[in-house]
Amino acid sequence: MPEISTALRPGSVLEAQGSTIETDILIIGSGMGGGTLSWALRNSGRQVLVVERGDFLPREPENSQPEAMYLDKRYSNAEDWYDGSTGKPFRPGVYYWVGGNTKFYGACLPRFRREDFEETAHHDGSSQAWPFDYDTIEPFYAKAEELFQVHGRLGEDPTEPHHSTEYPSPALEHEPTIERFASKLRQQGLHPFHMSNGMNLNSMEERRADTISDGAPSESGVKSEAENRALRPALQSENVSLLINAKITKLITSPDGGTVVAAEATLGSRKLRINAKQFVVSAGAVNSAVLLLNSANEQHPNGLGNSSGLLGRNYMVHNSTFFMGVNPIRRNPTAWQKTLGLNDWYVAGKSNPYPLGNLQMLGKLQAPMVKAARSWAPLWALKMVTDRSLDIYLTTEDLPDPNNRIRVEDGKIIIDWKPNNIAPHEELVRRISRAVRKAGYPIILTERMGIATNSHMCGTAVAGSDPATSVLNENCRSHDLENLWIIDGSFFPSSAALNPALTIAANALRVAPIIAHS
């Protein structure tokens, strides 16, 4: 399917002249949640303003150069966050550009499994049930798959839940090395499948052009992400506008604290007030919580919408491992490697009494990518390894823990995070190691991801039916403020063990009509 090239409507990107802007619905953040919501509201008859703290990311040759992305950090523009256990700063894996983190994701767009919406026993405890079930969100998964042109194939993965529609685009076929790997897994009695994906790659030339787009921008624009598939089409409507390079710093409430009446923003050296009727926060699970904590006032002394005390708590980011299988005598020439998944141990079964998690391929690793994590190693040695490696990402669910949280002290964003549910992840790594060795890759290299790998963040404003044990209701509206919504991964009661982007988009489509008619 070809790229959608959507030129910006004249006037759709605001040039704020005065000190005040009026709108009906303010959306803070242009990533998967905010971008998709703007698209869903484009024909609502309401005036919608999307505010993004970053600028448009340039489409340029450096998009496709791993040295620029991983060594020069050309597109890194997030501030330092701080590890609460050590006090040390770290650079988080988030980006402030129009389209948010989807500009850099690998467009892996799976649905959560039916079991992910239910209370589930794990090795270290239980994950919470969601306030709605899979059948409720299923039609919106189908709409999100169509919007983001998801490629996939039904009938291969035994954990795949019911689909009311086929995937809108055919699965991306495996290249020979990955097809050989899939065959070796099937010989072991496993069930590899074509991972659902939003990369519109129709030729080997296109695959080679976008080989580093898992973790980097797509120079060609074939990646389905929030800017090109949702926000730009939304901006074709006279109802939708975008303000860039503006950071929302505070939400202001009415005197009684029952509603939000305005947002304060900084635009360069200027201060700006945005008045609206509905306020939607879609800044990511950390920054959404930070904004509401920073908006504390007399009526909400612990942060907006925090009567439960859970705002910023239950931060989840997945237990994840970068995994390389190396065959010293066989090169891996794969251009777009991220086509295969494995969920044989995703749910509990006879061989695994607790869920273990998901395997998905990484985009093909190159020496500069690994150099960023192994600065001591010479590039020539890293190239010898990556030329011969099979590159995998392993994910296990981490569990909601109120002690894993976001704090703000003296203007610093502090992350208190202690991994849990580690034993199942270690077992997943062991099982995949055995399977990969049997598939012909005798050398196994692994790297557990730490606090800075947080692209799957969620859980800091959990949704639920009881205001005492949740921040949002089942439709992601604040229990405490009648016109405040959070539409990103913050609302997740549990993290599942799959990429969250499609679920964020589907949920935005689910709640959009409710916001439009509020």
Side-chain angles (χ1 to χ4, degrees):
M1 189 176 295
E3 174 194 356
I4 295 177
S5 179
T6 306
L8 291 168
R9 173 178 57 82
S12 61
V13 181
L14 294 186
E15 296 286 344
Q17 301 297 329
S19 59
T20 304
I21 296 176
E22 304 284 341
T23 191
D24 292 327
I25 301 173
L26 172 62
I27 300 175
I28 302 167
S30 64
M32 188 58 97
T36 303
L37 184 64
S38 72
W39 181 87
L41 294 172
R42 71 197 187 285
N43 296 324
S44 66
R46 310 288 296 277
Q47 289 298 311
V48 177
L49 174 63
V50 181
V51 176
E52 169 55 50
R53 68 189 291 178
D55 205 333
F56 288 96
L57 190 147
R59 187 177 293 182
E60 57 187 5
E62 288 84 354
N63 293 166
S64 303
Q65 296 171 5
E67 295 84 0
M69 179 69 203
Y70 293 95
L71 299 182
D72 299 340
K73 307 292 184 184
R74 183 176 180 86
Y75 305 110
S76 295
N77 57 4
E79 71 277 50
D80 282 342
W81 296 352
Y82 291 81
D83 185 336
S85 64
T86 66
K88 294 180 179 180
F90 66 92
R91 185 57 55 91
V94 297
Y95 299 88
Y96 305 144
W97 297 95
V98 174
N101 275 5
T102 67
K103 300 297 294 185
F104 299 85
Y105 76 161
C108 189
L109 294 168
R111 299 183 180 200
F112 282 4
R113 276 33 193 164
R114 181 178 295 275
E115 294 84 354
D116 291 325
F117 295 88
E118 304 166 353
E119 182 174 357
T120 302
H122 289 267
H123 184 275
D124 285 4
S126 296
S127 59
Q128 301 178 35
W130 291 38
F132 54 87
D133 59 15
Y134 174 79
D135 291 331
T136 299
I137 199 172
E138 194 283 330
F140 303 100
Y141 269 135
K143 291 179 180 179
E145 286 168 343
E146 181 178 4
L147 177 61
F148 289 95
Q149 304 175 359
V150 178
H151 297 251
R153 183 177 300 163
L154 296 176
E156 296 181 319
D157 176 11
T159 72
E160 185 87 33
H162 164 72
H163 285 228
S164 58
T165 59
E166 294 289 331
Y167 280 107
S169 300
L172 296 181
E173 296 296 343
H174 303 319
E175 293 174 46
T177 297
I178 307 306
E179 182 56 52
R180 185 186 307 113
F181 179 51
S183 177
K184 294 292 186 180
L185 293 176
R186 286 191 290 268
Q187 291 172 17
Q188 298 175 47
L190 301 174
H191 302 83
F193 60 94
H194 289 80
M195 197 79 187
S196 51
N197 196 276
M199 294 294 293
N200 295 297
L201 300 168
N202 299 312
S203 68
M204 283 304 301
E205 181 181 3
E206 290 176 336
R207 289 184 180 224
R208 282 188 284 268
D210 272 84
T211 191
I212 77 159
S213 288
D214 182 11
S218 170
E219 182 185 355
S220 67
V222 301
K223 182 194 294 185
S224 290
E225 29 97 331
E227 180 193 351
N228 63 0
R229 300 294 180 251
L231 182 60
R232 281 180 177 263
L235 290 171
Q236 295 303 300
S237 168
E238 296 284 344
N239 295 326
V240 183
S241 300
L242 172 67
L243 180 65
I244 60 174
N245 295 315
K247 181 182 178 182
I248 304 294
T249 56
K250 185 178 181 181
L251 299 182
I252 303 169
T253 68
S254 57
D256 65 1
T259 60
V260 182
V261 296
E264 289 184 355
T266 57
L267 185 61
S269 60
R270 297 170 51 203
K271 298 291 184 182
L272 186 67
R273 178 183 171 106
I274 304 172
N275 298 322
K277 298 172 184 177
Q278 307 293 336
F279 293 79
V280 180
V281 182
S282 299
V286 169
N287 282 309
S288 289
V290 166
L291 173 60
L292 298 186
L293 291 169
N294 283 338
S295 300
N297 58 27
E298 185 177 351
Q299 292 76 28
H300 301 272
N302 298 315
L304 295 193
N306 196 22
S307 62
S308 65
L310 293 175
L311 177 66
R313 295 184 180 270
N314 296 303
Y315 172 71
M316 296 171 280
V317 288
H318 285 155
N319 298 307
S320 56
T321 290
F322 276 31
F323 181 109
M324 299 172 70
V326 180
N327 184 325
I329 61 173
R330 178 183 293 159
R331 290 180 176 271
N332 179 3
T334 305
W336 182 252
Q337 188 173 240
K338 201 175 183 69
T339 57
L340 181 146
L342 187 76
N343 279 338
D344 282 62
W345 304 297
Y346 190 88
V347 298
K350 292 181 180 179
S351 68
N352 52 296
Y354 300 103
L356 300 187
N358 165 259
L359 173 154
Q360 62 185 263
M361 305 306 296
L362 287 166
K364 185 70 198 81
L365 291 181
Q366 297 184 24
M369 304 176 186
V370 182
K371 179 74 172 178
R374 293 288 184 271
S375 58
W376 50 266
L379 279 171
W380 64 264
L382 295 175
K383 187 177 188 304
M384 286 185 63
V385 174
T386 55
D387 282 353
R388 294 162 175 79
S389 66
L390 195 69
D391 313 305
I392 293 169
Y393 189 61
L394 300 179
T395 306
T396 301
E397 183 166 348
D398 57 338
L399 305 180
D401 179 350
N403 293 315
N404 286 343
R405 61 179 296 200
I406 312 307
R407 294 183 286 126
V408 183
E409 292 184 3
D410 299 323
K412 295 179 178 178
I413 298 174
I414 300 172
I415 311 295
D416 295 321
W417 177 66
K418 181 180 179 181
N420 61 44
N421 208 35
I422 297 299
H425 188 67
E426 293 174 341
E427 178 60 21
L428 179 64
V429 172
R430 282 192 290 270
R431 295 190 184 197
I432 297 303
S433 296
R434 288 196 296 268
V436 170
R437 286 192 177 100
K438 289 181 180 179
Y441 295 85
I443 299 173
I444 303 298
L445 305 171
T446 64
E447 176 78 11
R448 269 282 306 280
M449 298 295 98
I451 195 169
T453 304
N454 46 19
S455 55
H456 293 178
M457 66 178 78
C458 61
T460 56
V462 296
S465 57
D466 184 354
T469 59
S470 57
V471 178
L472 308 172
N473 70 11
E474 67 275 11
N475 294 319
C476 298
R477 195 197 75 188
S478 168
H479 287 301
D480 301 344
L481 297 107
E482 63 184 30
N483 65 339
L484 175 63
W485 315 74
I486 304 181
I487 308 297
D488 55 26
S490 302
F491 86 91
F492 286 20
S494 62
S495 68
L498 288 165
N499 311 55
L502 189 74
T503 300
I504 293 171
N507 182 66
L509 298 176
R510 180 181 72 91
V511 301
I514 300 169
I515 296 174
H517 294 100
S518 295

mmCIF file of all heavy atoms in Angstrom, residues 111 134 137-147 150 152-155 160-169 502:
data_model
loop_
_atom_site.group_PDB
_atom_site.id
_atom_site.type_symbol
_atom_site.label_atom_id
_atom_site.label_comp_id
_atom_site.label_asym_id
_atom_site.label_seq_id
_atom_site.Cartn_x
_atom_site.Cartn_y
_atom_site.Cartn_z
ATOM 1 N N ARG A 111 -2.686 -6.595 18.624
ATOM 2 C CA ARG A 111 -3.754 -6.478 19.616
ATOM 3 C C ARG A 111 -3.302 -7.171 20.904
ATOM 4 O O ARG A 111 -2.580 -8.164 20.852
ATOM 5 C CB ARG A 111 -5.026 -7.164 19.125
ATOM 6 C CG ARG A 111 -5.613 -6.609 17.857
ATOM 7 C CD ARG A 111 -6.918 -7.314 17.511
ATOM 8 N NE ARG A 111 -7.509 -6.787 16.285
ATOM 9 C CZ ARG A 111 -8.785 -6.930 15.946
ATOM 10 N NH1 ARG A 111 -9.607 -7.625 16.747
ATOM 11 N NH2 ARG A 111 -9.256 -6.408 14.831
ATOM 12 N N TYR A 134 -12.212 -7.431 26.235
ATOM 13 C CA TYR A 134 -11.717 -7.441 24.859
ATOM 14 C C TYR A 134 -12.835 -7.196 23.859
ATOM 15 O O TYR A 134 -12.646 -6.458 22.877
ATOM 16 C CB TYR A 134 -11.037 -8.782 24.558
ATOM 17 C CG TYR A 134 -10.629 -8.910 23.103
ATOM 18 C CD1 TYR A 134 -9.489 -8.289 22.629
ATOM 19 C CD2 TYR A 134 -11.421 -9.628 22.193
ATOM 20 C CE1 TYR A 134 -9.129 -8.368 21.284
ATOM 21 C CE2 TYR A 134 -11.075 -9.718 20.851
ATOM 22 C CZ TYR A 134 -9.930 -9.087 20.398
ATOM 23 O OH TYR A 134 -9.582 -9.160 19.068
ATOM 24 N N ILE A 137 -13.538 -3.494 23.148
ATOM 25 C CA ILE A 137 -12.567 -2.725 22.358
ATOM 26 C C ILE A 137 -12.323 -3.343 20.981
ATOM 27 O O ILE A 137 -11.751 -2.682 20.108
ATOM 28 C CB ILE A 137 -11.236 -2.583 23.138
ATOM 29 C CG1 ILE A 137 -10.400 -1.417 22.583
ATOM 30 C CG2 ILE A 137 -10.453 -3.894 23.149
ATOM 31 C CD1 ILE A 137 -9.180 -1.080 23.410
ATOM 32 N N GLU A 138 -12.795 -4.557 20.752
ATOM 33 C CA GLU A 138 -12.482 -5.255 19.501
ATOM 34 C C GLU A 138 -12.875 -4.472 18.248
ATOM 35 O O GLU A 138 -12.063 -4.354 17.312
ATOM 36 C CB GLU A 138 -13.146 -6.636 19.478
ATOM 37 C CG GLU A 138 -12.621 -7.567 18.394
ATOM 38 C CD GLU A 138 -13.139 -7.275 16.994
ATOM 39 O OE1 GLU A 138 -14.299 -6.767 16.881
ATOM 40 O OE2 GLU A 138 -12.410 -7.514 16.018
ATOM 41 N N PRO A 139 -14.080 -3.896 18.168
ATOM 42 C CA PRO A 139 -14.395 -3.144 16.945
ATOM 43 C C PRO A 139 -13.455 -1.966 16.705
ATOM 44 O O PRO A 139 -13.202 -1.590 15.552
ATOM 45 C CB PRO A 139 -15.834 -2.655 17.191
ATOM 46 C CG PRO A 139 -16.373 -3.537 18.260
ATOM 47 C CD PRO A 139 -15.205 -3.912 19.125
ATOM 48 N N PHE A 140 -12.926 -1.407 17.778
ATOM 49 C CA PHE A 140 -12.028 -0.259 17.642
ATOM 50 C C PHE A 140 -10.607 -0.705 17.293
ATOM 51 O O PHE A 140 -9.875 0.043 16.641
ATOM 52 C CB PHE A 140 -12.073 0.573 18.917
ATOM 53 C CG PHE A 140 -13.469 1.027 19.249
ATOM 54 C CD1 PHE A 140 -14.236 0.360 20.200
ATOM 55 C CD2 PHE A 140 -14.038 2.084 18.552
ATOM 56 C CE1 PHE A 140 -15.529 0.757 20.476
ATOM 57 C CE2 PHE A 140 -15.346 2.490 18.821
ATOM 58 C CZ PHE A 140 -16.085 1.823 19.785
ATOM 59 N N TYR A 141 -10.240 -1.919 17.701
ATOM 60 C CA TYR A 141 -9.004 -2.500 17.170
ATOM 61 C C TYR A 141 -9.098 -2.597 15.639
ATOM 62 O O TYR A 141 -8.144 -2.262 14.921
ATOM 63 C CB TYR A 141 -8.787 -3.892 17.743
ATOM 64 C CG TYR A 141 -7.982 -3.974 19.018
ATOM 65 C CD1 TYR A 141 -8.401 -4.788 20.071
ATOM 66 C CD2 TYR A 141 -6.777 -3.294 19.159
ATOM 67 C CE1 TYR A 141 -7.647 -4.901 21.251
ATOM 68 C CE2 TYR A 141 -6.025 -3.391 20.313
ATOM 69 C CZ TYR A 141 -6.457 -4.196 21.367
ATOM 70 O OH TYR A 141 -5.714 -4.303 22.517
ATOM 71 N N ALA A 142 -10.238 -3.055 15.150
ATOM 72 C CA ALA A 142 -10.403 -3.205 13.702
ATOM 73 C C ALA A 142 -10.276 -1.850 13.006
ATOM 74 O O ALA A 142 -9.622 -1.733 11.950
ATOM 75 C CB ALA A 142 -11.743 -3.855 13.394
ATOM 76 N N LYS A 143 -10.877 -0.805 13.590
ATOM 77 C CA LYS A 143 -10.794 0.530 12.995
ATOM 78 C C LYS A 143 -9.371 1.076 13.056
ATOM 79 O O LYS A 143 -8.899 1.725 12.112
ATOM 80 C CB LYS A 143 -11.762 1.470 13.710
ATOM 81 C CG LYS A 143 -13.225 1.160 13.469
ATOM 82 C CD LYS A 143 -14.135 2.124 14.219
ATOM 83 C CE LYS A 143 -15.611 1.803 13.961
ATOM 84 N NZ LYS A 143 -16.505 2.724 14.707
ATOM 85 N N ALA A 144 -8.676 0.806 14.165
ATOM 86 C CA ALA A 144 -7.293 1.270 14.292
ATOM 87 C C ALA A 144 -6.388 0.548 13.301
ATOM 88 O O ALA A 144 -5.472 1.157 12.722
ATOM 89 C CB ALA A 144 -6.800 1.054 15.721
ATOM 90 N N GLU A 145 -6.622 -0.733 13.090
ATOM 91 C CA GLU A 145 -5.830 -1.479 12.100
ATOM 92 C C GLU A 145 -6.026 -0.905 10.705
ATOM 93 O O GLU A 145 -5.077 -0.818 9.917
ATOM 94 C CB GLU A 145 -6.210 -2.957 12.149
ATOM 95 C CG GLU A 145 -5.666 -3.672 13.370
ATOM 96 C CD GLU A 145 -6.260 -5.052 13.580
ATOM 97 O OE1 GLU A 145 -7.320 -5.363 12.990
ATOM 98 O OE2 GLU A 145 -5.675 -5.826 14.364
ATOM 99 N N GLU A 146 -7.252 -0.509 10.392
ATOM 100 C CA GLU A 146 -7.501 0.097 9.085
ATOM 101 C C GLU A 146 -6.815 1.458 8.983
ATOM 102 O O GLU A 146 -6.172 1.764 7.962
ATOM 103 C CB GLU A 146 -9.005 0.250 8.865
ATOM 104 C CG GLU A 146 -9.367 0.845 7.518
ATOM 105 C CD GLU A 146 -10.866 0.940 7.312
ATOM 106 O OE1 GLU A 146 -11.624 0.614 8.237
ATOM 107 O OE2 GLU A 146 -11.278 1.361 6.210
ATOM 108 N N LEU A 147 -6.922 2.278 10.032
ATOM 109 C CA LEU A 147 -6.321 3.606 10.008
ATOM 110 C C LEU A 147 -4.807 3.533 9.837
ATOM 111 O O LEU A 147 -4.214 4.315 9.088
ATOM 112 C CB LEU A 147 -6.678 4.349 11.295
ATOM 113 C CG LEU A 147 -6.072 5.739 11.483
ATOM 114 C CD1 LEU A 147 -6.533 6.686 10.377
ATOM 115 C CD2 LEU A 147 -6.421 6.288 12.862
ATOM 116 N N VAL A 150 -2.480 -1.844 9.015
ATOM 117 C CA VAL A 150 -1.737 -2.925 9.660
ATOM 118 C C VAL A 150 -1.692 -4.157 8.753
ATOM 119 O O VAL A 150 -2.700 -4.604 8.208
ATOM 120 C CB VAL A 150 -2.348 -3.278 11.023
ATOM 121 C CG1 VAL A 150 -1.596 -4.454 11.657
ATOM 122 C CG2 VAL A 150 -2.299 -2.061 11.944
ATOM 123 N N GLY A 152 -0.922 -8.204 8.493
ATOM 124 C CA GLY A 152 -0.920 -9.375 9.356
ATOM 125 C C GLY A 152 -1.593 -10.550 8.686
ATOM 126 O O GLY A 152 -2.068 -10.458 7.542
ATOM 127 N N ARG A 153 -1.659 -11.663 9.425
ATOM 128 C CA ARG A 153 -2.271 -12.881 8.889
ATOM 129 C C ARG A 153 -2.911 -13.642 10.039
ATOM 130 O O ARG A 153 -2.234 -13.953 11.026
ATOM 131 C CB ARG A 153 -1.222 -13.744 8.186
ATOM 132 C CG ARG A 153 -1.774 -15.017 7.533
ATOM 133 C CD ARG A 153 -0.669 -15.764 6.806
ATOM 134 N NE ARG A 153 -0.075 -14.925 5.750
ATOM 135 C CZ ARG A 153 1.096 -15.167 5.180
ATOM 136 N NH1 ARG A 153 1.815 -16.202 5.566
ATOM 137 N NH2 ARG A 153 1.568 -14.364 4.233
ATOM 138 N N LEU A 154 -4.183 -13.919 9.914
ATOM 139 C CA LEU A 154 -4.890 -14.664 10.954
ATOM 140 C C LEU A 154 -4.645 -16.161 10.803
ATOM 141 O O LEU A 154 -4.295 -16.648 9.740
ATOM 142 C CB LEU A 154 -6.395 -14.378 10.867
ATOM 143 C CG LEU A 154 -6.832 -12.933 11.137
ATOM 144 C CD1 LEU A 154 -8.335 -12.778 10.928
ATOM 145 C CD2 LEU A 154 -6.447 -12.527 12.553
ATOM 146 N N GLY A 155 -4.833 -16.896 11.903
ATOM 147 C CA GLY A 155 -4.775 -18.340 11.868
ATOM 148 C C GLY A 155 -3.429 -18.953 12.172
ATOM 149 O O GLY A 155 -3.297 -20.180 12.166
ATOM 150 N N GLU A 160 -4.084 -15.675 19.285
ATOM 151 C CA GLU A 160 -4.772 -14.555 18.629
ATOM 152 C C GLU A 160 -6.246 -14.543 19.021
ATOM 153 O O GLU A 160 -6.952 -15.546 18.881
ATOM 154 C CB GLU A 160 -4.663 -14.682 17.113
ATOM 155 C CG GLU A 160 -5.233 -13.513 16.340
ATOM 156 C CD GLU A 160 -4.225 -12.405 16.133
ATOM 157 O OE1 GLU A 160 -3.031 -12.700 15.995
ATOM 158 O OE2 GLU A 160 -4.652 -11.243 16.098
ATOM 159 N N PRO A 161 -6.757 -13.420 19.526
ATOM 160 C CA PRO A 161 -8.184 -13.359 19.864
ATOM 161 C C PRO A 161 -9.042 -13.204 18.614
ATOM 162 O O PRO A 161 -8.526 -13.009 17.507
ATOM 163 C CB PRO A 161 -8.266 -12.118 20.759
ATOM 164 C CG PRO A 161 -7.152 -11.242 20.274
ATOM 165 C CD PRO A 161 -6.052 -12.181 19.840
ATOM 166 N N HIS A 162 -10.334 -13.257 18.816
ATOM 167 C CA HIS A 162 -11.285 -13.113 17.701
ATOM 168 C C HIS A 162 -11.108 -11.766 17.008
ATOM 169 O O HIS A 162 -10.960 -10.731 17.652
ATOM 170 C CB HIS A 162 -12.717 -13.228 18.223
ATOM 171 C CG HIS A 162 -13.755 -12.733 17.267
ATOM 172 N ND1 HIS A 162 -14.091 -13.421 16.115
ATOM 173 C CD2 HIS A 162 -14.521 -11.598 17.272
ATOM 174 C CE1 HIS A 162 -15.022 -12.745 15.474
ATOM 175 N NE2 HIS A 162 -15.304 -11.647 16.138
ATOM 176 N N HIS A 163 -11.101 -11.786 15.669
ATOM 177 C CA HIS A 163 -11.118 -10.582 14.845
ATOM 178 C C HIS A 163 -12.438 -10.537 14.087
ATOM 179 O O HIS A 163 -12.814 -11.514 13.431
ATOM 180 C CB HIS A 163 -9.975 -10.592 13.820
ATOM 181 C CG HIS A 163 -8.625 -10.300 14.366
ATOM 182 N ND1 HIS A 163 -7.770 -9.379 13.787
ATOM 183 C CD2 HIS A 163 -7.960 -10.798 15.434
ATOM 184 C CE1 HIS A 163 -6.635 -9.328 14.475
ATOM 185 N NE2 HIS A 163 -6.725 -10.196 15.466
ATOM 186 N N SER A 164 -13.121 -9.411 14.135
ATOM 187 C CA SER A 164 -14.354 -9.262 13.360
ATOM 188 C C SER A 164 -14.062 -8.948 11.901
ATOM 189 O O SER A 164 -14.961 -9.027 11.059
ATOM 190 C CB SER A 164 -15.221 -8.161 13.963
ATOM 191 O OG SER A 164 -14.511 -6.917 14.004
ATOM 192 N N THR A 165 -12.817 -8.576 11.605
ATOM 193 C CA THR A 165 -12.408 -8.271 10.234
ATOM 194 C C THR A 165 -11.041 -8.883 9.976
ATOM 195 O O THR A 165 -10.282 -9.165 10.902
ATOM 196 C CB THR A 165 -12.310 -6.745 10.009
ATOM 197 O OG1 THR A 165 -11.363 -6.193 10.937
ATOM 198 C CG2 THR A 165 -13.662 -6.072 10.215
ATOM 199 N N GLU A 166 -10.735 -9.086 8.705
ATOM 200 C CA GLU A 166 -9.392 -9.499 8.338
ATOM 201 C C GLU A 166 -8.432 -8.326 8.512
ATOM 202 O O GLU A 166 -8.849 -7.163 8.581
ATOM 203 C CB GLU A 166 -9.369 -9.962 6.876
ATOM 204 C CG GLU A 166 -10.162 -11.213 6.597
ATOM 205 C CD GLU A 166 -9.516 -12.462 7.170
ATOM 206 O OE1 GLU A 166 -8.263 -12.481 7.285
ATOM 207 O OE2 GLU A 166 -10.258 -13.408 7.510
ATOM 208 N N TYR A 167 -7.143 -8.627 8.600
ATOM 209 C CA TYR A 167 -6.170 -7.545 8.566
ATOM 210 C C TYR A 167 -6.346 -6.761 7.268
ATOM 211 O O TYR A 167 -6.563 -7.351 6.201
ATOM 212 C CB TYR A 167 -4.750 -8.105 8.632
ATOM 213 C CG TYR A 167 -4.315 -8.483 10.027
ATOM 214 C CD1 TYR A 167 -4.205 -9.821 10.400
ATOM 215 C CD2 TYR A 167 -4.004 -7.514 10.966
ATOM 216 C CE1 TYR A 167 -3.788 -10.180 11.682
ATOM 217 C CE2 TYR A 167 -3.594 -7.859 12.253
ATOM 218 C CZ TYR A 167 -3.487 -9.193 12.598
ATOM 219 O OH TYR A 167 -3.086 -9.527 13.861
ATOM 220 N N PRO A 168 -6.262 -5.438 7.315
ATOM 221 C CA PRO A 168 -6.489 -4.652 6.098
ATOM 222 C C PRO A 168 -5.410 -4.822 5.044
ATOM 223 O O PRO A 168 -5.660 -4.566 3.867
ATOM 224 C CB PRO A 168 -6.526 -3.202 6.611
ATOM 225 C CG PRO A 168 -5.837 -3.239 7.932
ATOM 226 C CD PRO A 168 -6.091 -4.596 8.501
ATOM 227 N N SER A 169 -4.210 -5.248 5.447
ATOM 228 C CA SER A 169 -3.115 -5.428 4.497
ATOM 229 C C SER A 169 -2.482 -6.803 4.711
ATOM 230 O O SER A 169 -2.459 -7.306 5.835
ATOM 231 C CB SER A 169 -2.053 -4.339 4.683
ATOM 232 O OG SER A 169 -2.603 -3.051 4.472
ATOM 233 N N LEU A 502 -1.107 -0.018 19.411
ATOM 234 C CA LEU A 502 -2.408 -0.234 18.789
ATOM 235 C C LEU A 502 -3.520 -0.143 19.821
ATOM 236 O O LEU A 502 -4.618 0.363 19.526
ATOM 237 C CB LEU A 502 -2.452 -1.587 18.073
ATOM 238 C CG LEU A 502 -3.710 -1.780 17.214
ATOM 239 C CD1 LEU A 502 -3.629 -0.949 15.946
ATOM 240 C CD2 LEU A 502 -3.927 -3.248 16.865
#
